[in-house]
Amino acid sequence: MESSKVIHAFYNDDEILLDAVKAVKAEHHQIEEIFCPFPVHGLDKAMGLAPTRLAITAFFYGCTGLAFAIWMTNYMMIEDWPMDIGGKPSFSWIENMPAFVPIMFELTVFFAAHLMVITFYMRSRIWPFKEAENPDPRTTDDHFLMEIPVKDNVEELTALLTKTGAVEINVVDKH
Amino acid sequence: MYQFSGKLKMLSFALIIFGAIGIGVGFLSTPGSVDDVKEMLSQESSQEDGHESTNQDASVNDHNESTKVIGLDHGDAVHGEHDDEHAEHVYHQLKNRPWSAVYVSLFFFLGISLLVLAFYASQRVAQSAWSVVLFRVMEAITANLVPTSIIMVLVILSASVFHWNHMFVWMTEGTFDPTSENYDAIVDGKSWWINATGWTIRGIVYLAIWNAYRWYIRKNSIAEDTANDNNKTYKKNYNVSVGFLFLFMVTETLMSWDWIMGLDPHWFSTLFGWYILSSLLVSALTVIAFVTIYLRSQGALPGVNDSHVHDLAKFMFGFSIFWTYLWFSQFMLIWYADIPEETTYFVARFEEYKVPFLAMVVMNFVFPVLLLLNSDYKSIPWFIVIGGVVILGGHYIDIFVMVMPATVGGQWYFGFPEIGAVLFFLGIFIYTVFSSFAKANPIPKGNPFLKESEQFHYYNIEHRGESSGDHH
């Protein structure tokens, strides 16, 4: 059952936040989301988030770019219009391969980099006119916010979060 | 303190003895005179006649073209003189083979020790914290610089002063003498640089500089452990390392001209010094990783964790690509412009050394890149060992393909002297490195970055044998 209310607990130090995450996880409460002004090392591990697979997609995008470059140079320079340009051997692709390597390298990097970035944008749901999902403007400056869904345990959660060093605890309606 | 085990000592002695036997067999099996070679060649050509010249050895054919010898199977009087010339040429190549086999391995092991020393100096200068627990491993490996330098001096002297070998064609009598039939105007134009006196002195100076720094930094690094002098010793070591890195870059470039590019005195390439550097540097990092993994498995390196191994593998990966970049830059520029005086270098290698020449690119680039691309694999010892063996083999071939075409040409083969030389120098390496490691505290206690190094943790590596509480 989806709860309609969430607790917003504010912290003002990343070390305190990390300890709080561990304490909350130890009590088996579900952490919905954490908002930080900057990357906190070890936060993903403390929250138990799965590792990213972005690097794996980049590898396959790179392979695609390499294949595209090989196909393109072979089609243009060898198959479609093989010309004698300054004595370069255009009888087969492999004979003229060294001349194509700079293109192959650059296209591999181009595909890997750009497609990975686009993948990142799509998976993170970021685009130019996207409405910001920030629950409190202070989280982009100097506060850390932990969001925990409420079942019937507001008292218990508040006590726990106070103990972990939260500087402010609000129960709000889920937007 | 680490104990150099008797078993390992026996292994190193056995390698040295077997290696020396292999080298000895190589020297004994060279032909005694030009007449022996003529007999050998006439046997080969009579076999070829039997097969109606269809099965001719490709390398012999190419060789004929380059030396303007019409053909082995035309044994008539007109070409008799050319046959004599050809036989003499082959005789010199066969005589060069055991020398070159020793030279390739010697240069490989000497270069690796030298680059470990340079990498070590760079770590001191960069004040990098991660590698501090590996300092004693690197220092131990540089101990191999001493015996290889001594053997190198012997090779330098025997080549230049005593003329026992003919690996360097420009050392032939009469090369700089216009009245001699050996006169070579092109080489004579460079005689201000490549002359036996200068070459010998320069070679000994390079070795003296490198060994002086090694001796000094080893002594002072151990002194650092108990110094307690507000890091004065540490700062002195820093300053000396800065000076060494400058001298190293100069001497390494000159060394690569003298010892490798000098084998082909008609050919020249500007990025050659960097190319040699990259080849030796990636081999050096692989060797550091190997010795680290071995000593760690023996429990001799308590401060080393998976993140250190991961960083070494990352260096192996990165510098493999750097080597490929330089190798390809040199090859592609020469291939593209196709200026005859430069292209001959690669023509000789592509015609007569096609398999090692191409296999080297696969071994030094494709294989390590695919194997060590994954971050998780970089901290798994057996992955690094597999990748490292291929990298070291590939870079041995790299040196082989630099040296052999200039000295033995088409007469190359991977047999007793080549394998013997590798085993011989491997034995010396094992003995010097591990006995040196046993002589000092495996942890450089006095280094101000030691604590940081022991706690070094690369973010996405889960260390084996550590709980999650050890992180962060």
Side-chain angles (χ1 to χ4, degrees), chain A residues 15 18-19 22 41 45 59 88-89 95-96 98-99 101-102, chain B residues 328 331-332 335-337 370 373 457 459-462 471-472:
Chain A
E15 289 294 315
L18 270 177
D19 292 338
K22 282 172 193 160
H41 281 272
K45 236 168 225 167
F59 178 77
K88 284 276 160 291
E95 271 180 298
N96 209 0
V101 166
Chain B
F328 184 72
F331 170 76
M332 198 262 242
W335 173 86
Y336 212 110
L370 292 178
L373 189 63
H457 183 242
Y459 75 98
N460 69 353
I461 293 292
E462 287 289 350
H471 298 159
H472 145 68

Coordinates of all heavy atoms in Angstrom, one line a residue, chain A residues 15 18-19 22 41 45 59 88-89 95-96 98-99 101-102, chain B residues 328 331-332 335-337 370 373 457 459-462 471-472:
Chain A
E15 N 28.9 13.3 7.1 CA 29.3 12.2 8.0 C 28.1 11.8 8.9 O 27.9 10.6 9.0 CB 30.5 12.6 8.9 CG 31.8 12.8 8.1 CD 32.3 11.5 7.5 OE1 32.3 10.5 8.2 OE2 32.7 11.5 6.3
L18 N 25.7 9.9 6.8 CA 26.1 8.5 6.5 C 25.7 7.6 7.7 O 25.2 6.5 7.5 CB 27.5 8.4 6.2 CG 27.9 8.6 4.7 CD1 29.4 8.5 4.5 CD2 27.3 7.5 3.9
D19 N 26.0 8.1 8.9 CA 25.7 7.3 10.1 C 24.2 7.1 10.2 O 23.8 6.0 10.6 CB 26.3 8.0 11.3 CG 27.9 7.9 11.3 OD1 28.4 7.0 10.6 OD2 28.5 8.8 12.0
K22 N 23.0 4.4 8.0 CA 23.2 3.1 8.5 C 22.3 2.8 9.6 O 21.8 1.6 9.7 CB 24.7 3.0 9.0 CG 25.7 2.9 7.8 CD 27.1 3.0 8.3 CE 28.0 3.1 7.1 NZ 29.3 3.7 7.4
H41 N 30.7 10.3 -0.7 CA 31.3 9.1 -1.0 C 30.8 8.0 -0.1 O 30.8 8.2 1.1 CB 32.8 9.2 -0.9 CG 33.4 9.8 -2.1 ND1 33.8 9.1 -3.2 CD2 33.7 11.1 -2.4 CE1 34.3 9.9 -4.1 NE2 34.2 11.1 -3.7
K45 N 26.7 2.9 -1.3 CA 26.9 1.6 -0.7 C 26.1 1.5 0.6 O 25.6 0.5 0.9 CB 28.4 1.5 -0.4 CG 29.0 0.3 -1.0 CD 30.5 0.3 -1.0 CE 31.0 -0.2 -2.3 NZ 32.4 0.1 -2.5
F59 N 30.6 0.5 -23.5 CA 31.4 -0.4 -24.2 C 30.7 -0.8 -25.5 O 31.3 -0.9 -26.6 CB 31.7 -1.6 -23.3 CG 32.5 -2.7 -24.0 CD1 33.9 -2.5 -24.2 CD2 31.9 -3.8 -24.5 CE1 34.6 -3.5 -24.9 CE2 32.7 -4.8 -25.2 CZ 34.0 -4.6 -25.4
K88 N 47.8 5.6 -52.6 CA 47.3 4.7 -51.5 C 46.6 3.5 -52.0 O 45.8 3.6 -52.9 CB 46.4 5.5 -50.6 CG 47.1 6.5 -49.7 CD 47.6 5.8 -48.4 CE 48.7 6.6 -47.7 NZ 49.9 6.7 -48.5
P89 N 46.9 2.3 -51.5 CA 46.3 1.1 -52.1 C 44.8 1.0 -51.7 O 44.5 0.9 -50.5 CB 47.1 0.0 -51.4 CG 47.7 0.5 -50.2 CD 47.8 2.0 -50.4
E95 N 44.4 -3.3 -46.7 CA 45.7 -2.7 -47.3 C 45.8 -1.2 -47.0 O 46.8 -0.7 -46.9 CB 45.7 -2.9 -48.8 CG 46.3 -4.2 -49.3 CD 46.3 -4.2 -50.8 OE1 45.2 -4.2 -51.4 OE2 47.4 -4.3 -51.3
N96 N 44.6 -0.6 -46.9 CA 44.6 0.9 -46.6 C 44.2 1.2 -45.2 O 43.9 2.3 -44.8 CB 43.6 1.5 -47.6 CG 44.1 3.0 -47.9 OD1 45.1 3.4 -47.4 ND2 43.3 3.6 -48.7
P98 N 45.7 1.4 -42.2 CA 46.3 2.4 -41.3 C 45.7 3.8 -41.5 O 45.6 4.6 -40.5 CB 47.8 2.4 -41.7 CG 48.0 1.0 -42.1 CD 46.7 0.6 -42.8
A99 N 45.4 4.2 -42.7 CA 44.8 5.5 -43.0 C 43.5 5.7 -42.4 O 43.0 6.8 -42.1 CB 44.7 5.7 -44.5
V101 N 42.5 4.3 -39.4 CA 42.5 4.1 -37.9 C 42.2 5.4 -37.2 O 41.4 5.4 -36.2 CB 43.9 3.6 -37.5 CG1 44.1 3.8 -36.0 CG2 44.0 2.1 -37.9
P102 N 42.7 6.6 -37.6 CA 42.2 7.8 -36.9 C 40.7 8.0 -36.9 O 40.1 8.4 -35.9 CB 42.9 9.0 -37.6 CG 44.1 8.3 -38.2 CD 43.7 6.9 -38.6
Chain B
F328 N 51.8 2.9 -33.2 CA 51.0 3.2 -34.4 C 51.4 4.6 -35.0 O 51.5 4.7 -36.2 CB 49.5 3.1 -34.1 CG 48.7 3.3 -35.3 CD1 48.6 2.3 -36.3 CD2 48.0 4.5 -35.6 CE1 47.9 2.5 -37.5 CE2 47.3 4.7 -36.7 CZ 47.2 3.7 -37.7
F331 N 54.6 3.9 -37.0 CA 54.3 3.1 -38.1 C 53.5 3.9 -39.2 O 53.8 3.9 -40.4 CB 53.6 1.8 -37.7 CG 53.1 1.1 -38.9 CD1 54.0 0.3 -39.7 CD2 51.7 1.1 -39.3 CE1 53.5 -0.4 -40.8 CE2 51.3 0.4 -40.4 CZ 52.2 -0.4 -41.1
M332 N 52.4 4.5 -38.7 CA 51.5 5.1 -39.7 C 52.1 6.3 -40.4 O 51.9 6.5 -41.6 CB 50.2 5.5 -39.0 CG 49.0 5.7 -39.9 SD 48.8 7.4 -40.3 CE 47.2 7.7 -39.6
W335 N 54.4 4.8 -43.0 CA 53.6 4.1 -44.0 C 53.0 5.1 -44.9 O 52.9 4.9 -46.1 CB 52.6 3.2 -43.3 CG 51.6 2.5 -44.2 CD1 51.8 1.4 -44.9 CD2 50.3 3.0 -44.6 NE1 50.7 1.1 -45.7 CE2 49.8 2.1 -45.5 CE3 49.6 4.1 -44.2 CZ2 48.5 2.2 -46.0 CZ3 48.3 4.3 -44.7 CH2 47.8 3.4 -45.6
Y336 N 52.4 6.1 -44.3 CA 51.6 7.1 -45.1 C 52.5 7.9 -46.1 O 52.1 8.0 -47.3 CB 50.9 8.1 -44.1 CG 49.6 8.5 -44.7 CD1 48.4 8.1 -44.1 CD2 49.5 9.4 -45.8 CE1 47.2 8.5 -44.6 CE2 48.3 9.8 -46.3 CZ 47.1 9.4 -45.6 OH 45.9 9.8 -46.1
A337 N 53.6 8.4 -45.6 CA 54.5 9.2 -46.5 C 55.3 8.3 -47.4 O 55.6 8.7 -48.5 CB 55.4 10.0 -45.6
L370 N 41.1 -5.8 -23.8 CA 39.9 -6.5 -23.6 C 39.8 -7.2 -22.2 O 38.8 -7.2 -21.5 CB 39.6 -7.5 -24.7 CG 39.3 -6.9 -26.0 CD1 39.2 -8.0 -27.1 CD2 38.1 -6.0 -26.0
L373 N 39.9 -4.2 -19.2 CA 38.9 -3.1 -19.3 C 38.0 -3.1 -18.1 O 37.7 -2.0 -17.6 CB 38.1 -3.2 -20.6 CG 37.3 -2.0 -21.0 CD1 38.1 -0.8 -21.2 CD2 36.5 -2.4 -22.3
H457 N 42.1 3.2 -0.6 CA 40.9 2.5 -1.1 C 40.3 3.1 -2.3 O 39.9 4.2 -2.3 CB 39.9 2.4 0.1 CG 38.6 1.6 -0.3 ND1 37.4 2.2 -0.3 CD2 38.5 0.3 -0.6 CE1 36.5 1.2 -0.7 NE2 37.2 0.1 -0.8
Y459 N 37.3 3.5 -4.8 CA 35.9 3.4 -4.3 C 35.1 2.2 -4.7 O 34.3 1.7 -3.9 CB 35.1 4.7 -4.7 CG 34.7 4.8 -6.2 CD1 33.4 4.4 -6.5 CD2 35.6 5.1 -7.2 CE1 33.1 4.4 -7.9 CE2 35.3 5.1 -8.5 CZ 34.0 4.8 -8.8 OH 33.6 4.8 -10.1
N460 N 35.3 1.7 -5.9 CA 34.4 0.6 -6.2 C 35.0 -0.8 -6.1 O 34.5 -1.8 -6.6 CB 33.8 0.8 -7.7 CG 34.9 0.6 -8.7 OD1 36.0 0.4 -8.4 ND2 34.5 0.5 -10.0
I461 N 36.0 -0.9 -5.3 CA 36.7 -2.2 -5.1 C 36.2 -2.7 -3.7 O 36.4 -2.1 -2.7 CB 38.2 -2.1 -5.1 CG1 38.7 -1.7 -6.5 CG2 38.8 -3.4 -4.6 CD1 38.4 -2.8 -7.5
E462 N 35.7 -3.9 -3.7 CA 35.4 -4.6 -2.4 C 36.6 -5.4 -2.1 O 36.9 -6.4 -2.8 CB 34.2 -5.5 -2.6 CG 32.8 -4.8 -2.7 CD 32.4 -4.2 -1.4 OE1 33.0 -4.4 -0.3 OE2 31.4 -3.4 -1.4
H471 N 35.4 0.1 5.5 CA 35.4 1.1 4.5 C 35.0 2.5 5.1 O 34.5 2.5 6.2 CB 34.4 0.8 3.4 CG 34.8 -0.4 2.6 ND1 33.9 -1.1 1.9 CD2 35.9 -1.1 2.5 CE1 34.5 -2.2 1.4 NE2 35.7 -2.2 1.8
H472 N 35.3 3.5 4.4 CA 34.9 4.8 4.7 C 35.4 5.4 6.1 O 35.8 4.6 6.9 CB 33.3 4.9 4.7 CG 32.7 5.9 5.7 ND1 32.9 7.2 5.6 CD2 32.0 5.7 6.8 CE1 32.3 7.8 6.6 NE2 31.7 6.9 7.3

